[in-house]
Amino acid sequence: MSAKRPSSPENVSRVYTVSQAERLRDLCGPHHRNLALLETRLKQHGLRAESQGGGIRLDGTEEGVSIAEAALAEFERRLRNGSEPTEMELDGALQAALSPSQSFNALKGLRKPVTAMTRGQARYIELLSQPDNALVFGVGPAGTGKTFLAVATGVAELQAGLRQRLIVTRPAVEAGEKLGFLPGTLEEKVDPYMLPIWDSLRELMGQEQMERRMLRGEIEVAPIAFMRGRTLKNAFVIVDEAQNTTVAQMKMVLTRLGRDSRMVVTGDPDQVDLPGSQASGLKHALKILDHVEGIVTHRLTAADVVRHGLVSRIIDAYAAAGES
């Protein structure tokens, strides 16, 4: 690891003890990469972290060492609950340590627990987990987890028996939703536009269970056009890529909500792909439904974008080279 930092009156040194050698390896990461990430994130506190005996020695300011201890404790808790020992998970643990007043609860009942990586995600999960929130708008840029966390909540409610069905719908703008003009079966026509949803479902519940529940009609993934004329009862409904719905489509799908159902609408109002000058149904709904009782809106930002650790290092390298 890094060279030892010269001691000073302002600095402290403590050892974070880890009882299991395997857990210590997971906390440190390959080639101590996780410790290097911790140092980078807390460099303003002069933090140095190195594996030492049965623990991790932390040197730096009192505040920096305390934050590092809290982050390692949260990271270790996540690992015990089944999370992977990745840099992204450590970043999420650090966010939790930096936000002690914000609850970072995990969504359970899934193939692996899903825990927030940012403060914005933590608040989003809180809102999604409250059954009284019958309609939740989750908006923000790509990479913030707005759709994945919505799907994870829907899967968790399905697994727990709180809902009988999970329905995910999104506009197929590229095909103008005139899917009848495309070759192949309905599944073949729909799949290119629904692939991100299938990927999320496979990750959250596994291929076998996903297929079994689909065959029983408990999971449905379809374009918005297929929602017309229906009442969606006892279901967890997700409207994805909602910025590409028209005003009429948005009104239609919102009014499909039936008894004992919940709906989550996700999208990025700044990335509308509708042809011509058509108004975005998401933008319109956010404006007119702002103060309607039972509807909540959560806005994720660029600060909630979760990237692979390598991407962060690539961005840092370009920044160091003076390139945007």
Side-chain angles (χ1 to χ4, degrees):
M1 283 305 298
S2 308
K4 281 194 175 181
R5 179 182 176 86
S7 62
S8 71
E10 294 80 18
N11 287 346
V12 298
S13 178
R14 291 199 290 268
V15 175
Y16 180 84
T17 305
V18 185
S19 57
Q20 299 176 348
E22 183 179 352
R23 181 59 49 76
L24 178 61
R25 288 195 298 271
D26 287 341
L27 289 175
C28 293
H31 308 293
H32 290 187
R33 191 175 294 156
N34 289 343
L35 299 187
L37 176 65
L38 201 59
E39 289 182 347
T40 299
R41 295 290 187 264
L42 297 174
K43 62 183 177 182
Q44 72 270 31
H45 298 287
L47 186 77
R48 294 291 182 266
E50 61 181 20
S51 178
Q52 186 178 83
I56 298 169
R57 177 174 171 171
L58 301 167
D59 295 282
T61 66
E62 172 65 40
E63 183 182 4
V65 169
S66 296
I67 293 171
E69 288 172 328
L72 288 169
E74 171 67 12
F75 191 29
E76 190 171 7
R77 184 188 69 81
R78 293 182 182 210
L79 297 184
R80 285 198 302 269
N81 289 337
S83 297
E84 297 293 332
T86 63
E87 292 178 52
M88 284 189 290
E89 203 69 56
L90 175 57
D91 249 338
L94 182 56
Q95 287 292 320
L98 290 168
S99 312
S101 62
Q102 174 68 62
S103 174
F104 276 63
N105 294 326
L107 290 169
K108 299 180 180 179
L110 307 168
R111 197 178 181 190
K112 292 180 182 178
V114 173
T115 309
M117 298 296 182
T118 69
R119 279 170 282 189
Q121 286 189 355
R123 177 58 180 156
Y124 187 40
I125 288 177
E126 276 186 6
L127 294 173
L128 291 172
S129 300
Q130 295 172 14
D132 289 342
N133 292 332
L135 176 57
V136 178
F137 284 92
V139 297
T144 53
K146 56 187 181 295
T147 299
F148 182 77
L149 294 175
V151 174
T153 305
V155 170
E157 290 205 358
L158 184 66
Q159 304 272 52
L162 298 175
R163 312 292 159 198
Q164 293 179 355
R165 290 184 296 163
L166 171 60
I167 300 172
V168 187
T169 184
R170 65 192 307 193
V173 171
E174 295 88 344
E177 290 219 327
K178 297 176 181 176
L179 298 173
F181 292 100
L182 297 177
T185 64
L186 174 61
E187 290 77 10
E188 290 169 338
K189 295 172 183 178
V190 168
D191 264 353
Y193 312 105
M194 304 302 174
L195 190 57
I197 305 301
W198 297 128
D199 288 343
S200 295
L201 289 170
R202 288 188 188 96
E203 181 177 345
L204 292 163
M205 63 192 335
Q207 179 77 24
E208 183 179 340
Q209 185 175 171
M210 182 186 75
E211 291 179 352
R212 185 168 64 248
R213 287 186 177 273
M214 284 176 60
L215 287 172
R216 295 203 298 252
E218 296 174 4
I219 294 177
E220 180 182 350
V221 180
I224 288 232
F226 288 79
M227 298 297 111
R228 192 174 301 280
R230 302 173 61 185
T231 300
L232 307 175
K233 299 177 182 177
N234 205 340
F236 193 99
V237 185
I238 300 170
V239 183
D240 189 33
E241 295 291 338
Q243 75 275 5
N244 290 328
T245 60
T246 64
V247 173
Q249 284 176 327
M250 178 60 76
K251 180 182 177 182
M252 178 272 291
V253 76
L254 291 178
T255 55
R256 298 306 93 201
L257 200 61
R259 188 180 63 251
D260 298 323
S261 289
R262 298 183 66 204
M263 182 178 288
V264 182
V265 180
T266 66
D268 181 359
D270 295 326
Q271 294 293 326
V272 178
D273 299 317
L274 288 168
S277 57
Q278 292 187 78
S280 167
L282 176 59
K283 287 185 175 182
H284 181 259
L286 290 172
K287 182 179 179 180
I288 69 168
L289 301 177
D290 189 33
H291 300 294
V292 175
E293 184 179 354
I295 298 176
V296 295
T297 299
H298 183 63
R299 298 181 185 275
L300 295 152
T301 69
D304 299 303
V305 174
V306 179
R307 298 184 177 95
H308 188 284
L310 178 59
V311 175
S312 296
R313 293 195 292 276
I314 291 172
I315 292 171
D316 289 343
Y318 273 92
E323 299 180 29
S324 58

